[in-house]
Amino acid sequence: MRKNIVAGNWKMNTTLAEGVGLAKDVNEALKGIDAKCDVVICVPFTHLASVAGVIDSSKLGLGAENCADHVKGAYTGEVSAPMVASTGAGYVILGHSERRQYYGETSEILKTKVNLALAENLTPIFCIGEVLEERENGTFLDVVTKQIEEALFDLSAEDFGKLILAYEPVWAIGTGKTATAEQAEEMHAHIRSVIAGKYGNEVAENCSILYGGSCKPSNAKEIFSKPDVDGGLIGGAALDCASFMGIVTAF
Ligand code: PEP
C-alpha cells in the first residue's frame, strides 16, 4: 500500500540557527500527535547534518533539495548524493521546477541524478509539472507524461518503486494560486495510468504521488481527500511550524 506523505521544501530560506530551530519545533510538534502520514523536511545542504542531530528520525524524515549529477571530483560548489547521504538524510528532491527553470536541469541530467540518489539509498522526491501556457493550451497531460518518460522510464520496476513523485503545476508554486482538487486528481490519476502502462498496476498503485503548489492548511484537506493524491510537497507553508503541522494533520 502506498504511503501518505507530507514533505516540506524549505528552498533557500533560513539561516542555520533558524533552520535548526524550525526543525526542532516540527520535531516537538510531531511528538504530541499521532500523524496519519510520513513527515519529511527538505532543507538547505548547509543545515542537513545539524538538523539530523536534533530530530527523531523515526518520526521526521530529512532530505536535501537537490544533489549533483556526479559522484565526486572537480565540480566546485556542488554537493553529491554520497555527501547528502553521509549527513543522515534519507530523501532528496529532484527536478524541482526552479532547478529546471533557473539551472537548466534537463531530463538527461535528472536521469543521472536519480540513479546517483538511488545508489545511495536516498529516496528521490521527483517533481513534474506544467507551466501556465501548457495548462492553458491543453498540453499539460502530455507535458507531464514526457517528463516522466524521459527521466524515469529507463529505471527497473524495482527502482521505480523506490521513488516518490510530486506533481507541481509551475503556475501554482509560490503564487497563492492552487490547482483545484479536481485538477490535481485529474493529473494524479493520469500519472498513475502512465506508470501502470509501463510498470503495471501494482507499481502504479504503490507509488505515492504528492501535490505541490500553494498548499496550505485551508486547502490541504480537500486536495488530500482525492483518491490519487497521497500528500503534499509544501514550500512557503513549511517555513512556519503551525502552518506545516496544519497540513500534516489534514490527514
Ligand atoms: C514547492 O516549491 O515545492 C512548493 C510547492 O512551493 P509553494 O508551496 O510555496 O507553492
Side-chain angles (χ1 to χ4, degrees):
M1 258 315 273
R2 60 187 184 253
K3 287 178 180 170
N4 290 327
I5 302 162
V6 171
N9 171 17
W10 290 5
K11 311 194 188 194
M12 197 174 72
N13 291 297
T14 73
T15 61
L16 179 59
E18 288 164 351
V20 168
L22 177 56
K24 278 183 182 168
D25 288 348
V26 172
N27 190 63
E28 205 50 41
L30 283 170
K31 278 188 194 160
I33 61 163
D34 179 20
K36 301 286 186 296
C37 59
D38 285 3
V39 185
V40 178
I41 47 176
C42 296
V43 309
F45 291 133
T46 46
H47 301 15
L48 284 169
S50 303
V51 169
V54 299
I55 61 174
D56 173 356
S57 59
S58 69
K59 291 217 155 197
L60 180 56
L62 176 64
E65 301 171 14
N66 180 30
C67 71
D69 56 345
H70 296 277
V71 176
K72 64 187 284 192
Y75 301 101
T76 303
E78 288 294 284
V79 177
S80 69
M83 290 172 181
V84 169
S86 74
T87 66
Y91 299 81
V92 59
I93 296 173
L94 292 175
H96 192 281
S97 62
E98 289 152 14
R99 302 287 325 167
R100 293 177 190 258
Q101 212 176 327
Y102 307 143
Y103 302 97
E105 294 198 358
T106 61
S107 293
E108 233 11 70
I109 292 171
L110 292 171
K111 198 195 276 195
T112 304
K113 292 189 178 198
V114 167
N115 282 317
L116 293 175
L118 289 173
E120 294 302 317
N121 292 320
L122 293 169
T123 300
I125 301 174
F126 191 84
C127 303
I128 48 195
E130 81 284 359
V131 298
L132 185 59
E133 191 192 341
E134 294 158 343
R135 168 62 53 176
E136 287 177 347
N137 69 19
T139 57
F140 52 97
L141 296 177
D142 293 341
V143 166
V144 168
T145 302
K146 193 160 173 259
Q147 289 172 338
I148 296 171
E149 285 175 350
E150 286 181 350
L152 305 176
F153 275 7
D154 282 346
L155 293 172
S156 65
E158 190 188 346
D159 278 347
F160 190 92
K162 295 172 186 166
L163 307 178
I164 297 167
L165 297 191
Y167 167 56
E168 299 206 305
V170 181
W171 47 271
I173 296 178
T175 57
K177 209 170 164 184
T178 318
T180 64
E182 289 68 31
Q183 286 172 322
E185 174 57 22
E186 178 191 27
M187 179 61 86
H188 284 227
H190 171 72
I191 292 168
R192 217 177 286 289
S193 76
V194 170
I195 300 168
K198 169 78 178 171
Y199 295 107
N201 278 339
E202 198 181 329
V203 172
E205 282 305 314
N206 285 331
C207 182
S208 294
I209 308 174
L210 315 185
Y211 168 79
S214 299
C215 194
K216 19 186 198 288
S218 58
N219 59 28
K221 214 181 183 74
E222 192 189 351
I223 297 171
F224 294 174
S225 72
K226 293 296 177 187
D228 288 292
V229 179
D230 307 309
L233 182 56
I234 316 302
L239 293 169
D240 176 77
C241 182
S243 296
F244 188 58
M245 292 309 296
I247 297 170
V248 167
T249 53
F251 275 114

